[in-house]
Amino acid sequence: MSNVKISPSILSADFSKLGNEIQDLEKAGADFIHIDVMDGHFVPNITIGPEVIDKLRKYTSLPFDVHLMISPVHDFIKNFADAGADIITIHPEATNDLVSSIKKIKFYNKKAGVSLNPKTSIDKVLPVLNLIDLVLVMSVNPGFGGQKFMSETLEKVKILRKEIDTKKFKTQIEIDGGINIENSKIAIKAGVDIIVSGTTIFKENGGDLKKNIQLLKTG
Ligand code: DX5
Ligand code: ZN
């Protein structure tokens, strides 16, 4: 069993009963709850906003790993911090001053993450690696669950793993998109600390959350 952490994406959950779904994920052994916020502008899909996150907060004490696929993002950071996000992850393309947006997240005592789309160069995050708590490496183009894993994105994971370990940073590497029980092994081998998964956790093995979380952890 690897010590990788699992952050189930509720994008694949039943949106008519998100509170219960989150409670079931906690009982099933999830380490975080990955909440995909989409605005229909940064990505071609719309999901939930801070009001919903605020209402979901009371259902679990697990950290809310909030992935903001919204732009411009800077002025909304406070809304998500106030709603109960624990980790706030933003895309560099969604702000015109990445360092200032990272500092704003830290100002609200939240963990700061930066997400790299498959086409986004790792050079966007290397200069701020020491400022952030998490790098979210997208292994699909953001917007939808259930897409095919893009294995070439693991090259970024390997470079980040080496950089973080060499420089003794505390930054965690999280991978997001198309992760299943098969490819989670190569993601863990490449050096990820946290795996996001929606479709695999909610749909595999008849939706046995506990079993699917365990299988992703075994690597
Ligand atoms: C996609 C989201 C991912 C997605 C993962 O834009 O950021 O978190 O929900 O879902 P699966 O595991 O189904 O690819
Ligand atoms: Zn996500």
Side-chain angles (χ1 to χ4, degrees):
M1 170 92 80
S2 74
N3 55 9
V4 73
K5 300 282 182 239
I6 305 296
S7 187
S9 162
I10 57 170
L11 187 64
S12 304
D14 179 341
F15 269 44
S16 71
K17 51 177 190 165
L18 279 179
N20 302 80
E21 298 273 81
I22 284 173
Q23 288 178 320
D24 290 349
L25 286 169
E26 180 166 12
K27 282 184 217 130
D31 298 291
F32 303 85
I33 300 292
H34 188 81
I35 301 176
D36 288 307
V37 178
M38 300 181 188
D39 64 357
H41 171 238
F42 186 72
V43 290
N45 194 1
I46 298 177
T47 56
I48 58 175
E51 293 301 312
V52 176
I53 293 175
D54 178 67
K55 294 292 178 289
L56 293 175
R57 188 63 275 182
K58 61 176 178 289
Y59 284 91
T60 180
S61 54
L62 285 180
F64 278 177
D65 169 27
V66 177
H67 179 191
L68 296 182
M69 288 161 276
I70 67 174
S71 90
V73 67
H74 191 82
D75 292 343
F76 286 98
I77 289 169
K78 181 177 187 317
N79 303 65
F80 288 96
D82 292 347
D86 295 284
I87 304 168
I88 297 178
T89 297
I90 61 177
H91 284 255
E93 298 89 346
T95 172
N96 49 32
D97 184 340
L98 183 58
V99 173
S100 156
S101 295
I102 291 167
K103 285 185 174 161
K104 187 164 189 182
I105 296 169
K106 308 294 277 184
F107 174 78
Y108 292 111
N109 295 317
K110 303 301 177 183
K111 291 193 173 193
V114 171
S115 183
L116 298 176
N117 281 341
K119 288 202 181 61
T120 305
S121 161
I122 197 165
D123 295 339
K124 287 277 185 200
V125 76
L126 290 176
V128 299
L129 215 41
N130 61 324
L131 297 179
I132 58 178
D133 304 281
L134 179 88
V135 184
L136 177 61
V137 177
M138 293 305 294
S139 35
V140 295
N141 286 310
F144 300 91
Q147 299 180 79
K148 192 171 170 330
F149 177 70
M150 297 166 71
S151 56
E152 63 273 25
T153 59
L154 289 178
E155 291 316 306
K156 288 181 191 169
V157 172
K158 291 173 191 165
I159 296 167
L160 287 164
R161 182 74 280 149
K162 194 156 169 273
E163 183 75 3
I164 290 165
D165 292 350
T166 314
K167 303 236 169 104
K168 297 195 177 8
F169 292 154
K170 58 172 178 28
T171 324
Q172 300 256 289
I173 304 172
E174 185 176 49
I175 192 155
D176 184 3
I179 296 286
N180 59 37
I181 289 150
E182 260 325 293
N183 60 37
S184 63
K185 296 174 178 51
I186 50 169
I188 292 168
K189 199 155 169 278
V192 302
D193 300 294
I194 308 168
I195 287 176
V196 174
S197 169
T199 306
T200 294
I201 289 178
F202 282 96
K203 308 273 187 276
E204 287 298 313
N205 296 302
D208 183 334
L209 302 178
K210 189 174 172 68
K211 182 170 182 177
N212 293 333
I213 288 174
Q214 285 301 324
L215 287 170
L216 286 170
K217 277 185 186 251
T218 39

